[in-house]
DNA sequence: ACCTGAACACCGTTCAAGT
DNA sequence: ACCTGAACACCGTTCAAGT
């Protein structure tokens, strides 16, 4: 599977190409932010970039492939945020909370990227994306899932969590993921939803996590620990840590 | 706001128009099922229908509006399924389970409609849909949410559930909804997700619901009741009840 | 080997003409 | 008042020519 046949002369070209691809993706994001999803056309992307149409199609096999590429970008950023969140001191349940918070913060501070992730889930996009790019996305999703699984495994080893019958590390990771994805997807792009618009996002998010983890009997239970305080603590750390880290030139 | 100005002479025309719209939506679904999302074009829809392009645009202001209309259809079907699920006898937690199961079954038996719902969440679709249709969708979502809230309220009245500090009926309904939406969205369209593909959908779904409700201390707890049996019971009822109910001519 | 942009083709949308 | 479908316009995609 790994290609050792490739020699190194073209190494630099490859790097330059990848850099240009990154610039195109940043440009696409800016267009999306300013003009909405209807405002992103290949013509506009070409006009605002320094390359020609043909070259853009050299990077992305279709407009949909561009969206999948943006979703890969989105997952990479998420992975960075997860790794930072794991550095925050605290017991295992607080670390789970940190992951949820990092995810939620991401969906709020970078709505465009999050919406790209949502869009890239759509069959219309999947159908017309390149297999290579879809594989890349899957690989990143696996890395994110692995982080969740490690946390769960560590909590079991440490004794704050015990698996009951019918539970598995994979299943627990999935349930967490589903909860986080669903809540963020419902909260962010649909502020017009009359009923849920009166809910405060952050306490609701915290409630969801607490219910799941209490249901698992993951210690310490929310009745024995002030997770609202944990949430605040983690949030201030995440907020001060990543002010102008990299990438986004707003 | 309510228009009483309209008189009744054109009542029949309106009904006929709505019937035709329904036929167009069924046709669109068939095209999606057979040829995928990339295969649905306004040309094809016109060719396979009995009306002209102009008439189709008389119904839907854009292709995106058509997707929103399909999502409205999807929500109507869901509403029906929810109402049926509520008829199933059982205590309040079993009724919650019945709703989750109905939703899950829907996403599995009608993947196309479910994917329309997902697609219609996308900003590209929202941006180009008619405000009237978006309002219709929101209204249906409110009806669905109301069902969830009623169930929660009833459980509180009955004594099997007590609201703790920081909990509200709205917040609990939201958390359930997020869980269900996230889990179904992650399960159905992404069977290619290496990690989660080895999970069995139904036990995982049940686990998620049990964790949330146990976390709420909603009686009877999963340790005191065989919810696997409940799940099976509810599923057989749902499966036998709705074989060829209406609409879908497969 | 890679880039270019004019040309192409498809498809969403409109509108003058018809009934 | 509503339907029609040819015409239009936009935009995604390609490819012969250039470097």
């Amino acid at each position: 599977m790994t290609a050792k046949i490739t020699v190194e002369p073209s190494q630099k070209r490859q790097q330059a190409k990848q850099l240009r691809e990154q610039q195109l993706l940043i440009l696409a994001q800016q267009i999306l932010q300013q003009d909405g999803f209807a405002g992103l056309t290949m013509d506009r992307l070409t006009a605002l970039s320094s390359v020609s149409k043909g070259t853009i199609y050299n990077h992305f096999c279709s407009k949909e492939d561009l969206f999948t590429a943006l979703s890969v970008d989105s997952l990479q950023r998420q992975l960075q945020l997860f790794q930072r969140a794991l550095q925050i001191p605290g017991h295992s349940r607080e670390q789970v909370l940190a992951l949820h918070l990092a995810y939620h913060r991401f969906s709020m501070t970078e709505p465009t990227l999050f919406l790209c992730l949502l869009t890239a889930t759509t069959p219309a996009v999947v159908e017309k994306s390149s297999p290579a790019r879809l594989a890349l996305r899957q690989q990143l999703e696996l890395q994110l899932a692995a982080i969740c699984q490690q946390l769960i495994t560590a909590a079991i080893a440490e004794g704050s969590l015990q698996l009951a019958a019918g539970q598995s590390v994979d299943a627990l990771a999935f349930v967490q993921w589903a909860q986080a994805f669903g809540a963020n997807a419902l909260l962010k792009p649909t502020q017009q939803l009359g009923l849920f618009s009166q809910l405060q996002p952050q306490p609701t998010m915290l409630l969801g996590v607490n219910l799941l983890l209490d249901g698992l009997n993951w210690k310490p239970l929310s009745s024995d620990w002030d997770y609202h305080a944990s949430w605040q603590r983690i949030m201030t750390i995440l907020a001060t840590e990543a002010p102008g880290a990299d990438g986004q030139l707003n």
Side-chain angles (χ1 to χ4, degrees), chain A residues 21-31 70 247-249:
Chain A
E21 186 163 312
Q22 210 52 38
Q23 288 170 338
L24 286 171
L25 290 175
I26 291 175
L27 187 58
Q29 273 180 63
Q30 289 175 341
I31 297 175
L70 284 167
Q248 213 65 339
L249 43 114

Side-chain angles (χ1 to χ4, degrees), chain A residues 160-202:
Chain A
S160 25
L161 173 66
Q162 290 188 349
L163 289 192
Q167 298 177 0
S168 69
V169 175
D170 283 8
L172 295 189
F174 173 81
V175 170
Q176 299 285 332
W177 191 313
Q179 168 80 35
F181 175 74
N184 286 309
L186 256 50
L187 276 177
K188 181 56 221 151
T190 57
Q191 288 153 327
Q192 75 271 25
L193 225 191
L195 241 191
F196 297 146
S197 63
Q198 7 182 344
L199 286 176
Q200 292 174 302
Q202 303 200 357

Side-chain angles (χ1 to χ4, degrees), chain A residues 3 6-19:
Chain A
T6 323
V7 251
E8 41 175 311
S10 62
Q11 207 82 334
K12 263 183 186 167
R13 289 209 169 269
Q14 281 291 46
Q15 278 189 6
K17 193 177 170 185
Q18 228 172 355
L19 193 116

Side-chain angles (χ1 to χ4, degrees), chain A residues 8 12 31 36 39 41 51 54-55 57 79 96 101 111 119 128 149 155 171 192 206 208 211 216 219 224 228 240-241:
Chain A
E8 41 175 311
K12 263 183 186 167
I31 297 175
T41 67
V51 294
T55 300
Y57 274 88
L79 193 61
V96 176
L101 219 162
T119 299
K128 303 193 74 178
Q149 292 170 316
Q192 75 271 25
L206 177 58
L211 292 181
L216 275 169
K219 304 287 174 54
D224 301 329
H228 190 69
T240 53
E241 192 171 55

Side-chain angles (χ1 to χ4, degrees), chain A residues 94-156:
Chain A
E94 286 183 308
Q95 296 218 315
V96 176
L97 203 59
L99 290 191
H100 277 274
L101 219 162
Y103 193 7
H104 178 59
R105 235 185 86 81
F106 170 71
S107 80
M108 298 308 252
T109 56
E110 309 236 33
T112 305
L113 269 186
F114 182 73
L115 289 172
C116 286
L117 207 55
L118 191 70
T119 299
T121 315
T122 282
V125 173
V126 174
E127 284 174 11
K128 303 193 74 178
S129 292
S130 69
R133 190 99 49 187
L134 289 173
L136 220 175
R137 180 165 114 218
Q138 183 181 324
Q139 192 205 312
L140 274 163
E141 286 175 327
L142 287 175
Q143 284 183 48
L144 284 165
I147 289 184
C148 302
Q149 292 170 316
Q150 279 169 25
L151 245 177
I152 295 168
T153 308
I156 295 170

